[in-house]
Amino acid sequence: MSAPARQGLVLAALILVAAVANLNLSVANVALPDIGRAFDSSQTALNLVAVAYSLGLACSVIYLGALGDRYGRKMMLVLGILLSVPACLLAAYAPSDTVLVVARFVGGLSAGMAYPTTLALIAALWSGPARTRSIALWSATGGAIASLGPLAAGIMLERFWWGSVFLITLPLAAVALIMAVMLIPAHVNETTEPVDNLGGVLSIVLVGSAILAINFAPVPDAGTLVVSLSVLAVAAVVAFVLRERRAVNPLYDLRIASRRVFWVAACAGIIVFGSLMGAMFIGQQFLQNVLGYSTVEAGLAILPAAMLMVLAAPRSAKLVESHGARFTLLTGYVFVMLGFLTMLLLWQEGVGYWKVGLGYAFIGAGVGFAGTPASHSLTGSVPVTRAGMASGTADLQRDLGGAVMQSIFGALLTAGYATAAAAAIGAAPPSSAITSNVQTQLTKSFSSAATTAEQYPQYSQQIIAGAKAAFLQGDQWAYLAGIIAVLIGAALVFIFFPKAAEERRLLDEYAAHDSAG
């Protein structure tokens, strides 16, 4: 069993660095309605604003984690914090939603430098139960801070313009930078093997093209683009696998990734963390567009998720040690399922807050229980010199999960909203008098419909009512997708993840094999 000197301060520094990435990940969601009004954005553009940060992170974490393993994790962490500053400033003062998407993507790349390094250092500096507890605190605190992001953003939006939400993390970044430079060791169990740069480029292409294909899938007349992106993603996957099998020093060791404890935990975590991001993405728009919450009220509504994550994490660490990761993961899945069922069945127009809070509480408890075993199993099943691969995969769970689930949820919301809005327009008595331009605005997004309602005050009430009904149909599609994803993930864990005794045997076997190697 090992732990670094001044371990409390070192862990606090790592959590604070992770907090910068987590806050930047979540602050955009609460500002989406304001951004939509400012730029008259389509629902697809808003989806891209929300997902661009996760996209940048997901694309880069595996490659940047490997670079950190080779050239210095502390250096990579510090560079990531520094890059986050101009990315936040560009996002805050973006002149268009296109520039905002680019700024968010660059912010994701900066987080890709810093965020995977935090878990890699925990894996390298701690061992045994102390590592499990540290991962639990890192996971819960990170998730809780991500959940608090909308509240902080809501307070800013009550007083300032939409771009102010992207400035929230700047003071935090300054403190994190100072603590990282002063407290975090420069080099800990790093590898001297060369980095597989070609594999890194292929990993960026395959993740980026796959996520963009999902986002553009519901866009009219984007079929060629979607097919091209999908073909590119498949080709990149094939090329990546071939490359990693043949490379002398692979970026992503497929022999380690094929370990049962590793790959099942990776897949399970993608669904769990994606559920959190997807629920927050849809939920913030539901609270403001349908229930009429202010930005502060919408941010406060998420607090049950943050509180339950923090409360569940210590119990999750104890459950992992006593009952194994499989039992703890399945416990988390039960709560996430209850969260989506609450949203599907109870989140309707005029719903009371207790039903909103209940849905978020279930999601928060689920992520609190499942987050620790998902990350613990990854770091425990790889050699310490490959900590970047494990931490990159753990971060990929959050970022790829968030990007994919937000993309799927956003695509379904877009398709469901447009279908319902078009049907409502067709059924309206004077539908023939509605110009094609107005129809386009009404089916574009809720924000565009609200803007159109202001232009036609005599029909404002009917337009807003129709937009709310259309949004509710779209978000029902999204929640159903969440339920299906959770069922698939739970089945995967139940069937393939080893029980506690077998898990311990396998982890000891992996450690012995890696030490001998």
Side-chain angles (χ1 to χ4, degrees):
M1 310 301 170
S2 64
R6 299 188 294 177
Q7 60 173 314
L9 287 174
V10 173
L11 183 59
L14 294 173
I15 290 175
L16 195 59
V17 172
V20 174
N22 279 310
L23 270 177
N24 278 325
L25 179 65
S26 62
V27 293
N29 287 332
V30 74
L32 289 177
D34 284 28
I35 293 169
R37 287 189 290 271
F39 297 122
D40 190 27
S41 302
S42 66
Q43 186 61 52
T44 299
L46 294 178
N47 295 346
L48 288 172
V49 169
V51 83
Y53 192 89
S54 294
L55 174 61
L57 241 172
C59 283
S60 61
V61 287
I62 297 297
Y63 188 24
L64 295 177
L67 290 174
D69 278 349
R70 174 63 180 86
Y71 296 109
R73 297 176 184 128
K74 181 175 180 176
M75 179 194 69
M76 191 65 67
L77 183 148
V78 170
L79 289 175
I81 298 174
L82 290 173
L83 181 59
S84 71
V85 175
C88 288
L89 291 171
L90 180 60
Y93 298 99
S96 68
D97 52 13
T98 302
V99 174
L100 178 56
V101 169
V102 172
R104 293 280 291 163
F105 181 79
V106 174
L109 292 178
S110 74
M113 296 180 181
Y115 194 52
T117 311
T118 58
L119 183 58
L121 283 165
I122 289 175
L125 293 169
W126 281 268
S127 65
R131 178 193 288 176
T132 307
R133 290 191 297 270
S134 298
I135 290 173
L137 282 170
W138 173 84
S139 177
T141 307
I145 289 172
S147 299
L148 290 173
L151 174 58
I155 293 171
M156 296 293 285
L157 290 169
E158 289 283 299
R159 294 165 174 78
F160 306 105
W161 85 112
W162 60 265
S164 63
V165 303
F166 301 110
L167 302 177
I168 292 172
T169 57
L170 293 183
L172 196 64
V175 177
L177 180 62
I178 294 170
M179 291 185 69
V181 171
M182 294 179 61
L183 295 169
I184 295 174
H187 299 283
V188 184
N189 293 320
E190 290 158 358
T191 182
T192 57
E193 297 175 350
V195 177
D196 177 17
N197 293 300
L198 176 57
V201 173
L202 289 171
S203 71
I204 291 173
V205 173
L206 75 88
V207 174
S209 55
I211 292 172
L212 288 174
I214 295 171
N215 272 276
F216 284 107
V219 178
D221 303 320
T224 301
L225 175 62
V226 172
V227 171
S228 300
L229 288 169
S230 301
V231 170
L232 180 61
V234 172
V237 168
V238 173
F240 181 76
V241 171
L242 291 175
R243 168 64 183 176
E244 297 314 290
R245 283 182 173 176
R246 296 174 182 175
V248 176
N249 298 298
L251 175 80
Y252 202 79
D253 194 326
L254 296 180
R255 291 169 298 176
I256 293 175
S258 66
R259 293 172 174 176
R260 195 152 47 113
V261 174
F262 188 98
W263 74 263
V264 179
C267 294
I270 286 174
I271 294 174
V272 167
F273 292 112
S275 296
L276 173 66
M277 295 295 105
M280 290 173 64
F281 168 59
I282 299 292
Q284 282 297 303
Q285 296 180 73
F286 165 76
L287 293 175
Q288 294 184 58
N289 293 341
V290 178
L291 298 187
Y293 280 28
S294 69
T295 53
V296 173
E297 290 169 337
L300 282 169
I302 299 178
L303 285 181
M307 290 188 293
L308 266 294
M309 269 187 270
V310 173
L311 290 173
R315 289 154 182 80
S316 174
K318 292 178 180 178
L319 277 179
V320 169
E321 294 297 330
S322 62
H323 290 76
R326 179 177 180 269
F327 178 84
T328 314
L329 277 168
L330 291 173
T331 301
Y333 269 108
V334 169
F335 282 104
V336 174
M337 173 62 74
L338 290 173
F340 278 126
L341 285 172
T342 302
M343 294 172 184
L344 177 68
L345 301 175
L346 302 182
W347 284 21
Q348 303 294 333
E349 187 174 358
V351 67
Y353 172 70
W354 75 267
K355 296 177 182 177
V356 173
L358 182 65
Y360 278 127
F362 280 139
I363 293 287
V367 176
F369 276 111
T372 300
S375 300
H376 173 270
S377 296
L378 294 175
T379 56
S381 57
V382 303
V384 71
T385 55
R386 282 283 186 176
M389 174 182 167
S391 63
T393 305
D395 297 333
L396 195 64
Q397 290 178 136
R398 290 165 170 76
D399 311 320
L400 181 59
V404 169
M405 292 289 271
Q406 285 186 91
S407 298
I408 292 173
F409 280 22
L412 290 170
L413 175 63
T414 300
Y417 177 88
T419 300
I425 291 170
S431 60
S432 59
I434 302 175
T435 66
S436 59
N437 182 57
V438 171
Q439 288 188 41
T440 300
Q441 290 299 107
L442 293 176
T443 57
K444 186 177 179 181
S445 67
F446 187 96
S447 298
S448 292
T451 301
T452 304
E454 294 175 359
Q455 298 170 357
Y456 299 92
Q458 67 274 33
Y459 301 116
S460 176
Q461 191 172 356
Q462 297 94 314
I463 291 173
I464 295 298
K468 287 183 178 181
F471 185 94
L472 286 171
Q473 177 167 319
D475 73 5
Q476 293 283 295
W477 291 13
Y479 299 142
L480 280 171
I483 289 171
I484 293 170
V486 170
L487 288 173
I488 293 172
L492 190 70
V493 172
F494 184 81
I495 296 170
F496 293 105
F497 202 93
K499 294 182 179 179
E502 177 66 5
E503 178 192 3
R504 294 189 186 97
R505 187 192 69 77
L506 285 172
L507 290 177
D508 289 341
E509 181 182 303
Y510 299 152
H513 179 272
D514 295 334
S515 297

